[in-house]
Amino acid sequence: MRSGSINGVIGVLVQQLTLDNMSPLMQRVLTAVVLAPPVLLALYFGTPYSDLLILLAAGVAAWEWSRLCNRGTLDVTAGLVIGAVLAAVLAAELGLYSVSAWVVVVGAMATAVLASNRQHESVAWMVGGVIYLSWTFISFVWLSQPEIFGYQGIFWLLFVVWATDIGAYAAGRSIGGPKLAPRFSPNKTWSGLIGGALAAVAISLAVGAWVFSGGDPAYLGPPWGYLVMAGVVLAVVSQMGDLFESRLKRQFDAKDSSRVIPGHGGVLDRIDGLLAASLACAAAVWLGQRMGL
């Protein structure tokens, strides 16, 4: 075969392998395979790698939220939202949770004043971004502490949320049926929610057995009832987080929060369920500690 023919064949193969020519599902799979290992490694090794990862995710998520509220542009108010979220998360990573809480309060008030003075069309959404993103990321930071969840518990939470997404996608595509919330997300179905919950329970039990045993072969088993309940609750909460972000995007006529992740959209599109699940999980753990459970 002549060199020109060989180069032509190679050119066609390369073109077919580019992300633009892949199906959306293939793009999602390839991107997940590339991004998941460094994320898990950063969380496994902890500080400073996990802190940098969380701070980066919080900054990008705040940028995407502000950009959505500004319909694709940024202004001074958006900068305040991003700065407030980053400051609150950084304070939490330093263990200054009281300072972090005050940053959220002051940041939300300052955002409300500035957005109102500039006659911003989405004052409530901008203020909500400071509060919601800050508290969800703070929750994840708190859970990741060794004395709370550690990397094992965080892995359990991640896998439960990921299982929910996969189970919901598979069930929704294969079974279909009545829509869950067509006003906000026309593709989500009740069958997807149920499929996601079943997948979440399965992974909650499987990974939970490893987390609770701590490698002790004499361990008799985790609290199965709690793991089943946690799987169901987190599946529902993560889907509600997904719907909440869909509501935000629908409010500002956007399909994705951004396009920083090929095949997935933006960071918010990928962690919307995880953020909601982190907040719910942190609240449950905190209440359990206060009740002596």
Side-chain angles (χ1 to χ4, degrees):
M1 186 180 291
R2 291 179 297 181
S3 60
S5 300
I6 295 175
N7 291 335
V9 171
I10 294 175
V12 171
L13 290 174
V14 171
Q15 184 180 19
Q16 292 299 316
L17 288 173
T18 58
L19 283 172
D20 290 338
N21 288 283
M22 290 182 182
S23 67
L25 178 59
M26 193 61 195
Q27 290 184 32
R28 293 166 69 95
V29 171
L30 181 59
T31 304
V33 168
V34 172
L35 293 181
V39 168
L40 293 176
L41 284 173
L43 294 173
Y44 173 78
F45 286 110
T47 303
Y49 309 105
S50 59
D51 292 339
L52 292 174
L53 173 67
I54 296 170
L55 203 61
L56 175 62
V60 175
W63 168 74
E64 290 177 344
W65 187 292
S66 303
R67 185 172 170 271
L68 283 171
C69 294
N70 281 280
R71 299 186 183 276
T73 63
L74 296 175
D75 60 7
V76 177
T77 309
L80 179 57
V81 171
I82 297 170
V85 172
L86 286 175
V89 175
L90 179 59
E93 290 180 338
L94 295 174
L96 306 173
Y97 292 102
S98 296
V99 173
S100 185
W102 276 109
V103 169
V104 176
V105 172
V106 174
M109 294 175 61
T111 299
V113 172
L114 183 58
S116 298
N117 289 340
R118 295 175 63 86
Q119 296 183 335
H120 206 286
E121 68 166 311
S122 53
V123 177
W125 281 105
M126 296 291 276
V127 174
V130 174
I131 298 172
Y132 181 73
L133 292 179
S134 294
W135 280 114
T136 50
F137 275 103
I138 290 170
S139 297
F140 190 86
V141 169
W142 183 69
L143 289 172
S144 66
Q145 302 307 303
E147 66 273 15
I148 306 300
F149 258 23
Y151 78 87
Q152 299 100 325
I154 288 295
F155 279 11
W156 169 79
L157 178 61
L158 283 172
F159 291 148
V160 167
V161 173
W162 291 346
T164 300
D165 289 341
I166 295 171
Y169 181 83
R173 295 274 293 186
S174 60
I175 300 174
K179 302 298 183 181
L180 179 62
R183 183 179 176 184
F184 303 140
S185 184
N187 295 325
K188 292 192 178 301
T189 61
W190 283 99
S191 63
L193 177 61
I194 295 172
L198 292 175
V201 168
I203 293 301
S204 178
L205 290 171
V207 180
W210 164 66
V211 170
F212 282 94
S213 69
D216 182 4
Y219 186 66
L220 298 177
W224 303 109
Y226 285 114
L227 290 177
V228 171
M229 182 172 63
V232 172
V233 171
L234 289 178
V236 173
V237 170
S238 67
Q239 289 290 290
M240 294 304 101
D242 195 326
L243 287 173
F244 178 63
E245 199 237 350
S246 295
R247 172 69 177 84
L248 170 65
K249 292 185 292 186
R250 182 63 64 93
Q251 175 72 24
F252 299 103
D253 304 313
K255 183 178 182 295
D256 298 313
S257 59
S258 73
R259 297 184 61 84
V260 299
I261 307 178
H264 289 262
V267 168
L268 270 176
D269 296 320
R270 288 302 89 214
I271 64 172
D272 47 12
L274 177 62
L275 292 179
S278 298
L279 184 60
C281 200
V285 172
W286 184 83
L287 285 173
Q289 290 180 340
R290 294 299 178 274
M291 297 171 64
L293 299 178

